[in-house]
Amino acid sequence: MIRGILLVGALLSVVACATQQPRVLSGPEVRSELVGGGFRYSGFGNASGVLFTGHLQILPNGNITFATDSGLHDAGTWRLTGNTICAQFELFLSGDETCFTVKQLEKDKFLTSEGFFLYRA
């Protein structure tokens, strides 16, 4: 009986260690995981309570584009400072720069510090 309890405890420890906790991506990880890829996104913007969904692309040349599912399009530039992505769009946020970090939740699922989920397209 005790041996069975110890075995179950050992197995639970192994499973707990194997479960990766979300963490903020480093600068090199941002480049390898996000740059050059297309993503579906969803999140509530500007504390408005409005759900935004659409497609985002972070291009290697420093350009970034997005389109909402409701038909709005915008483009701008992005830069990486340490592990922080800063983006400035032509229209979004009236052209003000916004900066955020990214956590990897699953292989193809990410969460920005601004509360937007990114799903590899």
Side-chain angles (χ1 to χ4, degrees):
M1 175 75 162
I2 292 177
R3 193 177 336 179
I5 292 172
L6 291 175
L7 179 60
V8 169
L11 288 173
L12 289 175
S13 295
V14 169
V15 170
C17 290
T19 304
Q20 185 178 1
Q21 294 298 315
R23 62 178 178 73
V24 174
L25 295 177
S26 68
E29 289 171 323
V30 167
R31 286 194 185 282
S32 68
E33 294 291 337
L34 303 180
V35 177
F39 296 89
R40 292 281 308 152
Y41 70 84
S42 67
F44 294 90
N46 302 332
S48 64
V50 175
L51 177 64
F52 291 94
T53 59
H55 187 266
L56 172 78
Q57 190 166 23
I58 303 171
L59 302 169
N61 65 1
N63 291 327
I64 187 169
T65 63
F66 80 86
T68 67
D69 288 340
S70 63
L72 299 174
H73 298 267
D74 203 356
T77 58
W78 69 272
R79 63 185 173 85
L80 189 61
T81 302
N83 65 346
T84 303
I85 300 172
C86 294
Q88 186 171 13
F89 292 93
E90 295 171 11
L91 303 173
F92 181 67
L93 295 176
S94 301
D96 291 339
E97 183 176 68
T98 183
C99 298
F100 54 91
T101 57
V102 179
K103 288 183 181 179
Q104 186 164 15
L105 304 178
E106 297 172 8
K107 182 179 183 296
D108 294 324
K109 183 179 179 182
F110 304 86
L111 176 63
T112 73
S113 57
E114 292 185 332
F116 282 87
F117 288 94
L118 304 176
Y119 307 90
R120 199 178 316 272

